Amino acid sequence: MSKFKKKKSGDLPAISTASLPDIVFMLLFFFMVATVMRQNTLMVENRLPFADQTEKLEKKDLVMYIYAGKPSERYQKQFGKEARIQLNDKFADVNDIQQFIIEERESKREELQGLLTTSLKIDAETGMGLVSDIKYELRKAEAYRVNYTTKNGEAIKNMQ
């Protein structure tokens, strides 16, 4: 009789699942930190025009967005089919832009207030009259840094 017995079956041992919850929670925390949540719900149609000479904005946290266009189908019964302005998550009138700019400035630190940029996300089919009204209100609010958001592409596509 021998002291040592050979293992008869060549089965692999079961995989330990003790560290599995740690891995799951690590992935969960990673995606919670890395995910950017959408700030505004878009209530207007926003097919941006094309432009061939574009630049990317450096600091997106210093940008105030003004959307303009026809209300999306969900809101057309309530607000009609006329082009409207959206400030944050609500429809607004042209006269509300100045107050919106003031409130956005006050929400930032004092040294950053002069660096704020207003980005106009205007639907390609919106009339220029509404755009000039928005620009006039921005001048009254002393918001001189204005950016027009476009898609990168050839400008000739805007005619099609």
Side-chain angles (χ1 to χ4, degrees):
M1 210 164 161
S2 66
K3 281 187 172 183
F4 303 104
K5 293 183 180 180
K6 282 190 175 182
K7 213 177 199 184
K8 290 186 179 182
S9 64
D11 291 342
L12 294 174
I15 297 174
S16 174
T17 58
S19 63
L20 193 61
D22 295 336
I23 294 169
V24 169
F25 283 115
M26 210 167 26
L27 286 170
L28 177 69
F29 289 136
F30 170 76
F31 286 114
M32 285 174 58
V33 171
T35 302
V36 177
M37 302 302 276
R38 173 170 264 187
Q39 293 179 349
N40 295 324
T41 303
L42 199 56
M43 299 165 67
V44 295
E45 291 181 8
N46 201 248
R47 289 183 299 272
L48 297 174
F50 290 95
D52 55 1
Q53 297 178 1
T54 59
E55 293 180 25
K56 242 182 174 159
L57 288 174
E58 296 290 323
K59 297 184 177 181
K60 298 224 179 193
D61 59 331
L62 297 176
V63 179
M64 304 171 284
Y65 293 99
I66 297 177
Y67 302 94
K70 291 189 320 187
S72 58
E73 287 185 31
R74 180 177 174 188
Y75 300 100
Q76 281 184 359
K77 287 182 181 177
Q78 188 177 4
F79 296 103
K81 295 184 178 184
E82 194 78 22
R84 305 273 310 206
I85 298 171
Q86 178 184 343
L87 304 173
N88 288 338
D89 277 338
K90 63 180 180 178
F91 284 116
D93 194 33
V94 176
N95 301 327
D96 298 332
I97 293 175
Q98 194 170 2
Q99 185 63 31
F100 169 74
I101 298 296
I102 292 169
E103 289 172 3
E104 288 290 317
R105 272 193 199 134
E106 289 174 353
S107 70
K108 304 292 181 191
R109 295 192 323 246
E110 190 173 336
E111 62 269 9
L112 299 176
Q113 288 179 359
L115 302 174
L116 288 173
T117 302
T118 306
S119 181
L120 300 178
K121 288 191 169 188
I122 309 231
D123 186 62
E125 296 180 12
T126 302
M128 196 58 198
L130 182 61
V131 177
S132 19
D133 290 345
I134 293 170
K135 287 172 49 178
Y136 179 70
E137 288 295 321
L138 290 174
R139 280 193 295 271
K140 284 181 15 183
E142 297 179 5
Y144 301 120
R145 298 181 87 180
V146 179
N147 170 49
Y148 294 94
T149 304
T150 63
K151 288 182 184 175
N152 198 6
E154 294 183 28
I156 195 73
K157 291 181 183 177
N158 295 326
M159 300 297 191
Q160 299 172 355

